[in-house]
């Protein structure tokens, strides 16, 4: 079945109606990575001459050079060139989850128009690199994927608004407070838990860790600028627990109120030099060339109604999760590992609660 992907695009237009060739943004990214215009042009798939023309057009459009060429030192972005590059990266990271959800809705509508009534798996979960893999592997099963917080996902499961809901449980003592928040939402007699993945969370810092940040206590150091996740996210809940455990007051952290909505957006914010440190998954840090300080390992789990496990769509879903192809894809993500992936468990074994506590 054909699937549609929704991607964000830019349009730069000046007062005279002139538009910028968006291939320039790809070229700037390649210059940043490679440090040489010849190699950057090869990466983008254009000639060296065309690369020069793009840079000249860009400089004429903005009235400022975007790349500096220095003999013996290759090419490097000017401050405006870097700002353009990171602005695009942040925008893509911010819009990505919403556009993925929109793409999911469009693909579902297309399938219904082409095939009539179709069996759909409705998954509500927080955005993450492993969840992003699911649409690519569930090729035979239409997936209605909506991104939301763990509490919102589990509430949707209880309302009957989704079939599968994602939630996080940090390992160790730091996860006890988060574990308690799920006890009213996960019901041992009604629900079952499906194993999914583990992921490592920690601090994302500039390459070389120039401010010598060691842990959450370093976030209050003079001059350190922090970028946060939104208050409803599972990652924010984990950070709050780590701060409480270390007796670090959030009001003492400069930038604690600055929020981004994905791990990639946090990483892009730090990579752009707008903050010195952010909190998120290792995969996000490595994607943007940042150093990573691991602080916690958490289980990312899925929940469903026990009666749904008999349905073909859930059986197909479990087969994909337990399959070698999906698990190898997870293994390729830095800091991610399959963990009892596709295995069905009792709620009590996960939350360690009395089965009569409903």
């Amino acid at each position: 079945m054909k699937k549609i992907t929704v991607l964000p695009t830019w349009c730069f237009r000046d007062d005279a109606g002139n538009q910028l060739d968006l291939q320039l943004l790809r070229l700037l990214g390649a210059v940043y990575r490679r440090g040489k215009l010849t190699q950057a042009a090869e990466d983008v798939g254009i000639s060296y001459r065309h690369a020069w023309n793009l840079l000249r057009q860009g400089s004429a459009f903005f009235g400022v050079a975007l790349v500096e060429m220095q003999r013996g030192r290759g090419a490097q972005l000017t401050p405006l060139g870097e700002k353009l590059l990171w602005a695009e990266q942040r925008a893509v990271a911010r819009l990505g989850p919403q556009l993925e959800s929109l793409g999911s809705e469009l693909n579902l509508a297309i399938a219904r128009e082409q095939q009539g009534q179709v069996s759909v798996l409705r998954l509500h979960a927080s955005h993450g690199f492993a969840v992003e893999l699911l649409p690519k592997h569930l090729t035979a099963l239409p997936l209605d994927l909506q991104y939301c917080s763990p509490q919102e996902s589990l509430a949707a499961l209880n309302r009957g608004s989704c079939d599968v809901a994602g939630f996080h449980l940090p390992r160790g003592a730091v996860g006890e407070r988060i574990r308690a928040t799920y006890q009213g939402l996960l019901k041992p007699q009604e629900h079952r838990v499906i194993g999914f993945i583990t992921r490592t969370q920690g601090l994302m810092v500039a390459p070389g860790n120039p401010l010598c940040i060691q842990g959450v206590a370093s976030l209050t150091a003079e001059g350190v600028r922090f970028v946060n996740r939104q208050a409803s996210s599972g990652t924010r809940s984990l950070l709050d627990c780590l701060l409480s455990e270390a007796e670090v007051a959030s009001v003492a952290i400069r930038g604690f109120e600055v929020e981004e909505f994905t791990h990639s957006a946090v990483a892009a914010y730090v990579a752009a030099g707008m903050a010195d440190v952010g909190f998120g998954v290792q995969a996000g840090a490595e994607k943007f060339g940042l150093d990573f300080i691991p602080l916690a390992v958490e289980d990312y789990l899925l929940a469903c109604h026990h009666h749904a496990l008999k349905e073909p769509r859930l059986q197909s879903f479990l087969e994909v999760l337990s399959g070698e192809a999906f698990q190898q894809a997870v293994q390729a993500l830095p800091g991610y590992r399959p963990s009892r992936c596709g295995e069905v468990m009792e709620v009590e074994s996960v939350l360690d609660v009395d089965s009569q506590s409903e």
Side-chain angles (χ1 to χ4, degrees):
M1 182 179 67
K2 184 176 182 179
K3 291 190 176 181
I4 304 299
T5 300
V6 183
L7 300 173
T9 60
W10 292 69
C11 178
F12 291 91
R13 182 183 292 113
D14 63 17
D15 292 341
N18 301 310
Q19 286 194 198
L20 190 68
D21 187 336
L22 295 183
Q23 197 172 43
L24 174 64
L25 294 176
R26 294 177 55 209
L27 180 62
L28 293 179
V31 169
Y32 179 83
R33 292 191 306 270
R34 306 284 289 198
K36 292 183 180 297
L37 187 58
T38 52
Q39 296 175 358
E42 290 178 7
D43 282 3
V44 177
I46 60 177
S47 68
Y48 182 79
R49 181 178 180 180
H50 185 38
W52 259 114
N53 287 335
L54 283 175
L55 292 181
R56 281 198 293 265
Q57 291 168 13
S59 297
F61 183 87
F62 289 105
V64 178
L66 302 177
V67 172
E68 289 181 350
M69 305 290 292
Q70 298 181 350
R71 186 179 298 276
R73 296 182 59 187
Q76 64 180 26
L77 301 185
T78 65
L80 179 59
E82 285 198 1
K83 185 169 286 293
L84 279 174
L85 174 62
W86 293 119
E88 182 199 26
Q89 294 290 328
R90 294 203 323 276
V92 170
R94 287 173 176 176
L95 294 173
Q98 289 86 353
L99 295 181
E100 284 183 54
S101 294
L102 176 59
S104 175
E105 294 174 10
L106 290 175
N107 287 319
L108 180 56
I110 292 170
R112 284 173 172 161
E113 286 292 327
Q114 292 178 340
Q115 304 172 26
Q117 190 64 31
V118 294
S119 178
V120 177
L121 183 70
R122 301 170 299 167
L123 171 61
H124 287 201
S126 62
H127 187 264
F129 289 90
V131 177
E132 280 185 348
L133 296 173
L134 288 172
K136 304 171 187 175
H137 288 264
L138 290 168
T139 54
L141 178 64
L143 181 65
D144 182 8
L145 175 57
Q146 301 296 322
Y147 289 118
C148 50
S149 73
Q151 281 75 18
E152 291 168 338
S153 298
L154 291 172
L157 181 66
N158 281 296
R159 292 195 307 270
S161 300
C162 69
D163 306 303
V164 179
F167 65 101
H168 319 152
L169 275 180
R171 295 185 174 183
V174 72
E176 288 305 310
R177 194 168 83 185
I178 294 176
R179 189 183 305 270
T181 66
Y182 295 139
Q183 291 193 12
L185 294 169
L186 281 169
K187 303 177 181 180
Q189 293 184 8
E190 295 182 19
H191 298 142
R192 295 294 181 269
V193 175
I194 302 169
F196 190 40
I197 56 96
T198 63
R199 62 185 188 181
T200 303
Q201 298 236 49
L203 298 175
M204 307 175 184
V205 298
N209 193 9
L211 297 183
C212 300
I213 292 169
Q214 300 299 318
V216 293
S218 300
L219 300 181
T220 61
E222 184 177 357
V224 172
R225 300 166 300 159
F226 182 67
V227 56
N228 212 343
R229 284 293 303 278
Q230 78 274 22
S232 63
S233 68
T235 294
R236 173 67 170 271
S237 296
L238 172 57
L239 174 63
D240 290 342
C241 289
L242 291 172
L243 292 175
S244 177
E245 185 179 62
E247 298 183 346
V248 174
S250 61
V251 294
I253 300 174
R254 180 185 175 191
F256 193 81
E257 71 285 353
V258 179
E259 297 181 347
E260 289 288 351
F261 285 78
T262 68
H263 296 282
S264 291
V266 169
Y269 203 96
V270 176
M274 299 172 65
D276 303 301
V277 57
F279 186 76
V281 296
Q282 183 178 348
E286 294 201 15
K287 178 180 178 181
F288 287 88
L290 302 174
D291 282 2
F292 182 75
I293 303 165
L295 296 182
V297 174
E298 66 178 3
D299 289 293
Y300 195 129
L301 300 160
L302 306 170
C304 67
H305 285 281
H306 69 86
H307 57 74
L309 291 168
K310 300 177 181 178
E311 299 177 4
R313 56 183 175 168
L314 260 294
Q315 290 296 318
S316 297
F317 182 59
L318 295 178
E319 288 177 9
V320 169
L321 294 186
S322 59
E324 183 179 357
F326 178 74
Q327 295 194 20
Q328 285 183 347
V330 172
Q331 290 272 17
L333 296 171
Y336 278 75
R337 293 291 182 272
S339 179
R340 304 176 73 173
C341 198
E343 180 181 337
V344 178
M345 297 170 279
E346 300 286 338
V347 171
E348 296 95 329
S349 68
V350 176
L351 295 187
D352 191 25
V353 297
D354 185 348
S355 62
Q356 302 302 317
S357 64
E358 295 181 72

